[in-house]
Amino acid sequence: MDAVIVGAGPTGLYTAVALARRGHRVTVVDRDPGPPATGRWHRRGVMQFHHAHAFRGPVAEILRDEMPDVLDRLLAAGAVVENDPVGRPIALLCRRSTFDAALYAIAAVEPGVSMRVGHADGVRVERGRVTGVIVDGAALDADVFVDATGRNSRFTPRTRTAVDGECGIVYVTRQYRLRDGLPPGPVNAPIGLSLGYDRHFAIAFLHDDRTFSVTFAHDGADSRLRALRRADVFAAAAAAVPGLGEWTEPCRSAPTSDVLPAGRIHNRYRAQTDHAGRPWTPGLVSVGDAVCTTTPLAGRGVTLGLQQARRLVDLLDAGHDIGDITAEFDAWCSDAIRPWFDDHCHSDADRQRRWAGGDVDVTRALPSDLIVAAAAVAPEITASTDPYARMDALPASLESVEPIARAHFARGWRPAPPEGPSRDRLAEICARADRVTGTTAPTSRPAVA
Ligand SMILES: Cc1cc2nc3c(=O)[nH]c(=O)nc-3n(C[C@H](O)[C@H](O)[C@H](O)COP(=O)(O)OP(=O)(O)OC[C@H]3O[C@@H](n4cnc5c(N)ncnc54)[C@H](O)[C@@H]3O)c2cc1C
């Protein structure tokens, strides 16, 4: 079988290598030329490329099972797999750029995969079926066409129904590198230091090769927090958070990136069939973020992309008609992927409400983040919350323990926020730092290349 895959992100690259290893010929098209021989990979078209990524355990498991050479390459680059007490991976710690570079390097030398730099402008449709992808004006022919073009996927016909919800969170991130021989700051989670306050988050993500990222997430409602985009204000805010400040002390680490903002992030789910179960675009199948985009706070995007890719590869390799494959894949996504989208929409909307000052609403079903939090006082529910947190079980698995969690909240229990500045206090710190340095402050330039 000849396949054209548009998009060389994690989903497209995984799909390409896995298909080639099953004897198929694959052309991967991406407008980005791939990692440069030296220097920083800027990665056109993936806004979040240098934002903090944490890869969940299933990512390491899927790579170990299907592409151990990619996992070995990541480990050789300094990535770390954190295991739970029974030895199962719970997190893969590395930068997104390191992750994509390892996959790209393996794909580039994989017999059966050819990488092509170009922009896919659209598809050629003949007799109601896609028979080519138009790349920089010329058609590429194949037997099947895969759309792995990510969260802003635009090249397929616009008929696909999108269900949307803005997650209402603004991110500000900066990458750092630890100085030689120095350990990271304090940690309280496999990914590093995770501090969930009542109305914002502050997180230090451990990565590969002595690198880490610091991220603030808030709802964007307090305009004083916009100053976090400035390097000096970001540094002052990080220094004011107990624990986090130790990570960013200049004697311990130095920034390696600008301060990177991200906002207006949507949860989005795009089905691929009409009400009668017929593919919108016969001959083409979408996968990864092009199907389901979820809020970054739970770090599920790449896991959901690789889970989809694994399923799609099985269906394509079985050699059925591509129209049947699209319909079958869409039905599988409705059952296995859509529930995560719905879960994110519920949690994000409720978090937005609470971050705006609302209390936990015990008159209706709790969102999953609060059910998981309640395991701190109701250890009997961990038999359900742990498999959900690992993504071994779908969100519906929490339904049976939700009433137990809700009862704790109804009695007045609330998770205690960690020591550190409230959102208002953080906004004051930003405003003060902003006033001190004013307009003369430099823009955020990396201190270390
Ligand atoms: C701020 C932020 C933080 C995140 N943090 C995490 C995290 O911690 N953990 C996690 O698992 N996920 C995280 N995610 C989600 C994760 O980044 C995505 O799930 C992931 O990028 C999806 O991979 P993909 O291969 O499907 O698409 P992408 O990575 O978006 O790749 C799509 C590729 O297609 C190319 N392309 C698009 N259109 C065309 C075209 N017309 N022609 C040619 N090429 C094209 C693009 O250039 C790109 O290279 C985060 C997302 C955001 C926004």
Side-chain angles (χ1 to χ4, degrees):
M1 175 185 76
D2 286 305
V4 168
I5 298 175
V6 183
T11 311
L13 291 172
Y14 176 95
T15 307
V17 174
L19 282 175
R21 290 184 179 178
R22 285 161 178 76
H24 305 289
R25 292 167 302 282
V26 188
T27 302
V28 182
V29 180
D30 200 294
R31 55 197 171 193
D32 182 274
T38 56
R40 194 174 176 79
W41 185 8
H42 291 289
R43 192 74 145 116
R44 288 175 65 196
V46 184
M47 169 281 278
Q48 70 269 31
F49 194 56
H50 291 293
H51 273 264
H53 275 62
F55 301 93
R56 285 172 167 268
V59 172
E61 287 177 323
I62 291 171
L63 291 180
R64 188 192 58 203
D65 294 349
E66 176 71 30
M67 297 171 197
D69 46 345
V70 175
L71 192 55
D72 288 346
R73 199 175 181 102
L74 286 167
L75 298 177
V80 173
V81 175
E82 287 288 339
N83 292 317
D84 66 14
V86 296
R88 288 190 66 191
I90 34 176
L92 169 66
L93 308 178
C94 70
R95 285 166 291 179
R96 170 68 190 269
S97 52
T98 306
F99 187 86
D100 283 22
L103 260 172
Y104 201 101
I106 296 290
V109 297
E110 183 68 32
V113 175
S114 47
M115 308 295 294
R116 172 149 175 189
V117 180
H119 186 271
D121 309 313
V123 291
R124 181 185 64 203
V125 178
E126 292 173 317
R127 289 190 292 280
R129 193 180 185 91
V130 175
T131 58
V133 167
I134 313 299
V135 178
D136 297 328
L140 265 184
D141 298 330
D143 304 311
V144 298
F145 300 91
V146 176
D147 159 26
T149 53
R151 59 201 285 269
N152 292 321
S153 172
R154 282 197 193 93
F155 99 98
T156 55
R158 289 181 176 272
T159 35
R160 288 203 288 149
T161 25
V163 194
D164 241 329
E166 194 182 329
C167 75
I169 293 175
V170 175
Y171 288 78
V172 203
T173 289
R174 194 168 205 195
Q175 264 180 23
Y176 296 78
R177 174 168 274 121
L178 291 164
R179 297 194 186 280
D180 280 348
L182 291 181
V187 299
N188 65 0
I191 60 159
L193 180 68
S194 178
L195 302 170
Y197 297 99
D198 286 342
R199 298 171 79 172
H200 68 286
F201 290 123
I203 307 169
F205 290 86
L206 281 162
H207 299 314
D208 56 287
D209 192 24
R210 296 184 296 112
T211 59
F212 66 91
S213 297
V214 168
T215 297
F216 287 97
H218 59 92
D219 64 4
D222 192 323
S223 60
R224 292 173 297 176
L225 289 172
R226 281 190 209 140
L228 273 173
R229 295 168 179 214
R230 288 235 321 266
D232 52 340
V233 176
F234 190 92
V241 177
L244 195 60
E246 294 177 50
W247 288 68
T248 57
E249 283 166 350
C251 59
R252 186 190 296 268
S253 64
T256 58
S257 78
D258 291 350
V259 179
L260 307 170
R264 298 195 65 78
I265 295 170
H266 285 70
N267 291 305
R268 179 174 293 150
Y269 184 83
R270 284 172 282 192
Q272 308 191 53
T273 56
D274 64 15
H275 62 280
R278 289 179 302 246
W280 288 116
T281 320
L284 181 98
V285 59
S286 298
V287 62
D289 264 29
V291 170
C292 180
T293 308
T294 52
T295 180
L297 265 186
R300 294 198 178 108
V302 175
T303 301
L304 293 173
L306 296 195
Q307 286 178 343
Q308 289 176 60
R310 186 173 55 178
R311 178 66 183 154
L312 180 60
V313 166
D314 285 346
L315 291 171
L316 290 170
D317 188 46
H320 300 304
D321 177 81
I322 181 69
D324 296 339
I325 288 170
T326 304
E328 197 175 331
F329 183 62
D330 188 58
W332 178 84
C333 285
S334 298
D335 292 340
I337 302 296
R338 169 87 195 233
W340 294 106
F341 164 81
D342 292 333
D343 191 47
H344 277 259
C345 290
H346 184 194
S347 295
D348 290 343
D350 200 67
R351 184 184 303 107
Q352 257 182 295
R353 190 185 58 73
R354 300 197 311 270
W355 279 9
D359 192 11
V360 174
D361 183 353
V362 293
T363 64
R364 57 194 180 124
L366 293 179
S368 49
D369 59 320
L370 294 180
I371 302 173
V372 170
V377 282
E380 69 275 24
I381 71 173
T382 55
S384 293
T385 55
D386 283 356
Y388 162 83
R390 283 203 85 262
M391 296 180 74
D392 284 343
L394 289 171
S397 63
L398 294 179
E399 282 169 13
S400 61
V401 297
E402 188 275 339
I404 301 172
R406 189 147 34 126
H408 282 277
F409 281 100
R411 284 197 289 274
W413 176 81
R414 299 289 180 271
E419 187 197 345
S422 65
R423 195 199 58 183
D424 288 346
R425 178 75 192 116
L426 187 70
E428 281 167 22
I429 291 164
C430 291
R432 199 173 57 231
D434 197 21
R435 272 197 304 275
V436 169
T437 46
T439 53
T440 58
T443 54
S444 59
R445 298 307 317 164
V448 177

XYZ file of all heavy atoms in Angstrom, residues 6-11 30-31 43-48 51-54 96 118-120 148-151 155 288-289 296 299-302, ligand 1:
299
model
N 0.077 13.706 5.753
C 0.377 15.138 5.853
C 0.515 15.469 7.328
O -0.419 15.275 8.110
C -0.717 16.002 5.200
C -0.309 17.477 5.265
C -0.945 15.579 3.764
N 1.711 15.963 7.706
C 1.970 16.311 9.098
C 3.027 15.405 9.698
O 2.823 14.195 9.810
N 4.173 16.005 10.056
C 5.265 15.234 10.665
C 5.410 15.583 12.134
O 6.508 15.785 12.639
C 6.569 15.481 9.907
N 4.274 15.681 12.837
C 4.297 15.793 14.293
C 4.395 14.379 14.863
O 4.583 13.407 14.119
N 4.253 14.232 16.181
C 4.353 12.900 16.780
C 3.400 11.889 16.140
O 3.771 10.741 15.892
C 3.977 13.145 18.249
C 4.281 14.584 18.480
C 4.058 15.291 17.185
N 2.165 12.316 15.841
C 1.180 11.378 15.307
C 1.549 10.926 13.896
O 1.522 9.729 13.589
C -0.223 12.030 15.280
O -0.479 12.630 16.551
C -1.298 11.019 14.975
N 5.492 17.681 5.227
C 5.347 18.724 6.253
C 6.002 19.996 5.736
O 7.028 19.944 5.060
C 6.001 18.297 7.574
C 5.451 19.093 8.756
O 5.688 20.332 8.811
O 4.778 18.494 9.612
N 5.405 21.113 6.088
C 5.957 22.392 5.627
C 7.254 22.727 6.349
O 8.031 23.567 5.909
C 4.929 23.492 5.824
C 4.433 23.581 7.248
C 3.145 24.360 7.334
N 2.580 24.248 8.668
C 1.362 24.599 8.989
N 0.556 25.077 8.068
N 0.918 24.475 10.210
N 10.543 24.867 14.263
C 9.333 24.096 14.001
C 8.150 24.952 13.592
O 7.287 25.314 14.425
C 8.964 23.301 15.270
C 7.909 22.257 15.023
C 8.550 21.139 14.290
N 8.022 19.853 14.656
C 7.373 19.098 13.785
N 7.150 19.523 12.584
N 6.976 17.903 14.151
N 8.097 25.259 12.326
C 6.974 26.045 11.818
C 5.660 25.314 12.060
O 5.579 24.116 11.890
C 7.126 26.231 10.310
C 8.221 27.173 9.918
C 8.366 27.188 8.419
N 7.173 27.724 7.768
C 6.917 27.557 6.470
N 7.727 26.873 5.714
N 5.832 28.082 5.943
N 4.667 26.062 12.428
C 3.313 25.503 12.447
C 2.921 24.784 13.720
O 1.804 24.291 13.813
N 3.838 24.687 14.701
C 3.452 24.055 15.977
C 3.759 25.066 17.083
O 4.854 25.100 17.643
C 4.206 22.722 16.205
C 3.724 22.036 17.479
C 4.019 21.788 15.008
N 2.770 25.901 17.367
C 2.938 27.003 18.318
C 3.519 26.524 19.651
O 4.337 27.184 20.271
C 1.560 27.662 18.514
C 1.437 28.649 19.644
S 1.245 27.892 21.271
C -0.482 27.499 21.340
N 3.103 25.320 20.075
C 3.457 24.855 21.422
C 4.800 24.140 21.471
O 5.156 23.549 22.489
C 2.350 23.928 21.958
C 2.229 22.573 21.279
C 1.275 22.582 20.111
O 1.120 23.591 19.445
N 0.628 21.458 19.835
N 6.877 25.002 24.254
C 6.166 25.037 25.540
C 6.434 23.747 26.306
O 6.761 22.720 25.716
C 4.662 25.184 25.312
C 4.238 26.613 25.186
N 3.738 27.335 26.240
C 4.278 27.462 24.139
C 3.473 28.568 25.848
N 3.792 28.675 24.569
N 6.252 23.844 27.638
C 6.496 22.665 28.472
C 5.592 21.522 28.046
O 4.384 21.708 27.897
C 6.232 23.021 29.930
N 6.151 20.361 27.827
C 5.376 19.143 27.597
C 5.770 18.114 28.661
O 6.956 17.981 28.973
C 5.666 18.527 26.224
C 4.862 19.107 25.113
N 4.944 20.433 24.757
C 3.955 18.541 24.256
C 4.121 20.666 23.740
N 3.503 19.531 23.414
N 4.779 17.421 29.190
C 5.025 16.234 30.002
C 4.352 15.092 29.258
O 3.200 15.223 28.856
C 4.429 16.395 31.388
N 9.676 18.681 24.217
C 8.962 18.319 22.999
C 9.917 18.292 21.805
O 9.812 17.430 20.924
C 7.826 19.322 22.774
C 7.132 19.248 21.437
C 6.337 17.957 21.280
N 5.889 17.835 19.899
C 4.735 18.283 19.428
N 3.871 18.854 20.247
N 4.426 18.137 18.164
N 7.008 20.470 2.162
C 6.070 21.164 1.283
C 4.783 21.468 2.028
O 4.532 20.934 3.111
N 4.001 22.345 1.433
C 2.721 22.714 2.051
C 1.587 21.992 1.333
O 1.443 22.108 0.105
C 2.512 24.226 1.970
C 1.302 24.674 2.714
N 0.053 24.731 2.131
C 1.140 25.034 3.997
C -0.823 25.131 3.043
N -0.191 25.324 4.177
N 0.796 21.249 2.077
C -0.372 20.593 1.475
C -1.488 21.621 1.380
O -1.966 22.128 2.404
C -0.798 19.400 2.321
N -2.625 14.306 9.406
C -2.094 14.413 10.780
C -1.590 15.835 10.973
O -0.471 16.059 11.444
C -0.986 13.388 10.998
N -2.424 16.806 10.583
C -1.958 18.198 10.513
C -2.182 18.988 11.804
O -1.960 20.196 11.829
C -2.616 18.954 9.342
O -4.033 18.812 9.444
C -2.146 18.421 8.007
N -2.608 18.321 12.870
C -2.598 18.989 14.164
C -3.821 19.829 14.478
O -4.837 19.798 13.793
N -3.679 20.622 15.552
C -4.826 21.310 16.157
C -5.449 22.340 15.230
O -6.636 22.620 15.318
C -4.436 21.942 17.497
C -3.308 22.949 17.411
C -2.647 23.144 18.779
N -3.449 23.943 19.667
C -3.358 25.279 19.771
N -2.508 25.942 19.008
N -4.086 25.939 20.616
N -6.331 21.751 5.995
C -6.220 21.460 4.581
C -7.324 20.528 4.075
O -7.549 20.427 2.897
C -4.808 20.923 4.247
C -4.703 19.437 4.134
C -4.738 18.835 2.879
C -4.593 18.641 5.255
C -4.631 17.461 2.765
C -4.507 17.284 5.141
C -4.524 16.687 3.900
N -4.912 12.088 15.359
C -4.149 12.944 16.282
C -4.926 14.197 16.640
O -6.160 14.187 16.742
N -4.202 15.306 16.818
C -4.870 16.564 17.161
C -5.840 16.996 16.064
O -6.732 17.809 16.324
C -3.832 17.670 17.390
C -3.489 17.857 18.865
O -3.589 16.870 19.612
O -3.118 18.985 19.264
N -3.920 21.594 27.515
C -2.604 21.075 27.901
C -2.468 20.724 29.384
O -1.594 19.953 29.743
C -1.655 22.230 27.566
C -2.402 23.128 26.660
C -3.841 22.946 26.963
N -1.893 17.260 30.082
C -0.797 16.630 29.335
C -1.193 15.338 28.646
O -0.467 14.353 28.689
N -2.337 15.344 27.991
C -2.809 14.093 27.369
C -2.657 14.079 25.854
O -2.898 13.057 25.210
C -4.292 13.865 27.688
C -4.554 13.616 29.151
C -5.922 12.980 29.361
N -6.128 12.719 30.769
C -6.966 13.396 31.548
N -7.680 14.390 31.051
N -7.095 13.079 32.816
N -2.312 15.229 25.243
C -2.387 15.354 23.790
C -1.605 14.295 23.036
O -2.136 13.637 22.135
N -0.349 14.105 23.397
C 0.485 13.166 22.638
C 0.050 11.729 22.923
O 0.051 10.880 22.020
C 1.978 13.408 22.936
C 2.850 12.359 22.254
C 2.385 14.812 22.466
C 0.601 25.047 25.224
C 0.473 23.557 24.964
C 1.080 22.652 25.821
C 0.931 21.278 25.607
N 1.469 20.388 26.533
C 1.316 19.069 26.337
C 1.867 18.128 27.263
O 2.434 18.514 28.296
N 1.710 16.796 27.007
C 1.066 16.336 25.896
O 0.973 15.114 25.701
N 0.513 17.202 25.009
C 0.637 18.533 25.201
N 0.085 19.414 24.306
C -0.607 18.856 23.126
C 0.387 18.384 22.066
O 1.286 19.432 21.751
C -0.396 17.945 20.825
O -1.318 16.960 21.235
C 0.510 17.381 19.737
O 1.270 18.380 19.122
C -0.321 16.676 18.646
O 0.543 16.078 17.720
P 0.091 15.911 16.201
O 1.198 15.153 15.552
O -1.290 15.366 16.116
O 0.033 17.400 15.596
P 1.173 18.527 15.539
O 2.223 18.295 16.534
O 0.457 19.830 15.574
O 1.838 18.326 14.104
C 1.148 18.697 12.918
C 2.169 18.921 11.822
O 1.460 19.131 10.592
C 2.074 20.189 9.883
N 1.081 20.770 8.985
C -0.122 21.303 9.315
N -0.791 21.689 8.220
C 0.030 21.408 7.161
C -0.108 21.577 5.762
N -1.233 22.097 5.222
N 0.924 21.191 4.971
C 2.062 20.658 5.496
N 2.234 20.449 6.826
C 1.219 20.823 7.639
C 2.531 21.150 10.984
O 3.565 21.998 10.514
C 3.033 20.157 12.035
O 4.394 19.837 11.838
C 0.197 20.790 24.503
C -0.417 21.703 23.640
C -0.300 23.078 23.865
C -0.998 24.021 22.951
